[in-house]
Amino acid sequence: VIVAVIDSGLHVSHQDLKNQLWVNEDEIPNNGKDDDNDGYVDNIHGIAPLTGDGNLNDDTTSHGTHVAGLAIATKNNNKGVCGIAPDCSFMPIQIGHNNSKGFSTSSIIDGILYAINNGADVINLSIQKDYDDEHKYISELMLNESLKEESRDEELFFKELFEIANDSNITIVISAGNEEVLVGLDAMKRDSTIITVSAVNEFNNRASFTNFGKQSTISAPGVDIYSCKPGGNYAFANGTSMSSPIIAGVVGLIKSINPELSNIEIIKILRKSGKNLDPTIGPLVQVDKALVLSMNNDIKKPNSLNRDSIRKEIKRLENKILNLKNLLN
């Protein structure tokens, strides 16, 4: 199972990450050419040469390195931490530029498409939009009645993009955000096939910073979380950025046990096995219970004709009809 981490930058030479790479780090070129003919200069299979060891500074690679460690850091090496899914492979995808921790929407889209086209099974996106304080007072009713329409095009675009992933049974896990606003304000996070992760603190209460609401699929620890940092170091960090890769690791474990599960079924497993703590966020993940449910072959029976399967079949037939029409023309 391959877990892709899309972030501004990642320090892939960290001792808890380098052995998890889905290709050998020594294969990474640095000659200004597209060596593997994938449309990306100076990389092999999503690993850019500037992932913490080149021109990108430690500050730029800090976030992605911490995120990646939570999902897939090496186990039993007597160092640092162990990721939730240490036997999964790690596909690092850098989308930051010029020592900037920010990135464009088009870079996010490129990263998602790269992961989809190169065999990722799980994609983690620890990203968020920034909002003003006035957005904290927007209710679900206000969101449903007006704001969704204001970003309808963006919503429909990401639904189309996530449908591509869903049709390939690729699971997208995304952080809810740290702005104390409704998750659904971000048009990117409204699709029913993605997993949106809120944060809880060490007392299993909703974290003070987390985004929340009906679009919150599941929650995970997000306060004082220990993981990898550039230079072979380790540190604590807060945020739904930390909660998201924990869930990405859990999904990696679920897919290791039962790779045939659809995204809707995985979401059902997470929510059914989770612990309800706060009605404003998704239930707290219970990994052991989720894995037990994943081993239950009956989990697919009630959903053998679910809407996603029907929608996928309609899409396949539509494409077949279009191809036949093109032949006639």
Side-chain angles (χ1 to χ4, degrees):
V1 174
I2 298 173
V3 178
V5 176
I6 300 175
D7 217 293
S8 54
L10 303 105
H11 193 116
V12 297
S13 289
H14 193 288
Q15 68 265 17
D16 253 339
L17 301 179
K18 63 182 180 180
N19 295 325
Q20 310 300 81
L21 296 174
W22 68 315
V23 292
N24 192 321
E25 186 192 7
D26 295 335
E27 297 177 27
I28 305 172
N30 192 5
N31 54 17
K33 299 178 180 179
D34 179 13
D35 300 83
D36 52 359
N37 297 313
D38 65 353
Y40 295 81
V41 173
D42 273 344
N43 78 90
I44 282 188
H45 303 305
I47 306 175
L50 305 181
T51 47
D53 303 313
N55 295 334
L56 290 184
N57 58 34
D58 284 354
D59 189 42
T60 305
T61 60
S62 179
H63 185 271
T65 304
H66 198 277
V67 167
L70 291 167
I72 50 80
T74 303
K75 67 180 181 182
N76 299 334
N77 63 346
N78 296 316
K79 295 178 180 178
V81 296
C82 172
I84 298 294
D87 289 327
C88 287
S89 297
F90 169 37
M91 180 191 289
I93 301 178
Q94 173 190 303
I95 59 173
H97 303 283
N98 301 324
N99 281 325
S100 171
K101 290 189 287 185
F103 31 76
S104 65
T105 300
S106 61
S107 294
I108 296 170
I109 295 165
D110 282 343
I112 293 171
L113 288 173
Y114 189 95
I116 291 172
N117 292 328
N118 286 278
D121 299 293
V122 185
I123 299 173
N124 184 82
L125 289 161
S126 288
I127 61 177
Q128 69 166 24
K129 283 186 177 180
D130 296 328
Y131 292 96
D132 298 327
D133 284 345
E134 63 190 40
H135 289 91
K136 295 179 182 179
Y137 304 103
I138 294 173
S139 67
E140 291 279 3
L141 180 61
M142 293 168 64
L143 176 65
N144 292 333
E145 288 185 347
S146 60
L147 290 182
K148 280 185 74 170
E149 294 303 318
E150 292 181 12
S151 53
R152 187 68 173 167
D153 288 343
E154 184 182 358
E155 177 185 346
L156 293 175
F157 173 83
F158 277 108
K159 281 183 178 291
E160 186 75 17
L161 178 60
F162 294 151
E163 184 178 348
I164 297 172
N166 189 54
D167 287 347
S168 299
N169 209 26
I170 299 167
T171 307
I172 292 179
V173 183
I174 189 166
S175 58
N178 309 323
E179 299 288 308
E180 302 174 58
V181 300
L182 291 171
V183 175
L185 279 173
D186 187 346
M188 186 181 182
K189 301 176 183 179
R190 296 174 188 161
D191 189 74
S192 62
T193 64
I194 67 171
I195 298 172
T196 306
V197 189
S198 295
V200 299
N201 63 21
E202 62 270 38
F203 304 108
N204 282 351
N205 297 322
R206 188 180 104 182
S208 60
F209 52 77
T210 190
N211 291 357
F212 58 92
K214 293 180 180 179
Q215 299 292 336
S216 171
T217 311
I218 195 77
S219 59
V223 176
D224 289 336
I225 307 300
Y226 194 65
S227 187
C228 306
K229 284 287 188 178
N233 298 317
Y234 302 88
F236 292 93
N238 301 325
T240 56
S241 285
M242 286 63 251
S243 309
S244 184
I246 290 174
I247 298 299
V250 175
V251 174
L253 295 180
I254 289 174
K255 287 186 172 243
S256 299
I257 290 172
N258 194 342
E260 300 302 317
L261 290 170
S262 70
N263 288 327
I264 294 300
E265 288 163 343
I266 290 172
I267 290 171
K268 179 180 177 182
I269 286 169
L270 290 172
R271 291 182 64 84
K272 185 176 180 179
S273 61
K275 186 175 183 180
N276 292 310
L277 299 174
D278 187 312
T280 65
I281 57 175
L284 174 63
V285 65
Q286 304 286 281
V287 186
D288 54 344
K289 293 179 174 61
L291 296 183
V292 169
L293 277 181
S294 301
M295 289 185 278
N296 182 2
N297 290 327
D298 292 335
I299 193 72
K300 294 186 73 70
K301 289 182 180 178
N303 299 309
S304 59
L305 289 176
N306 63 42
R307 292 180 180 179
D308 278 348
S309 298
I310 295 171
R311 195 177 293 119
K312 185 176 180 180
E313 180 64 11
I314 291 171
K315 189 86 171 180
R316 186 187 69 81
L317 292 172
E318 285 177 344
N319 290 334
K320 191 172 182 179
I321 290 169
L322 287 173
N323 289 334
L324 290 171
K325 283 184 176 180
N326 290 334
L327 286 174
L328 289 173
N329 294 332

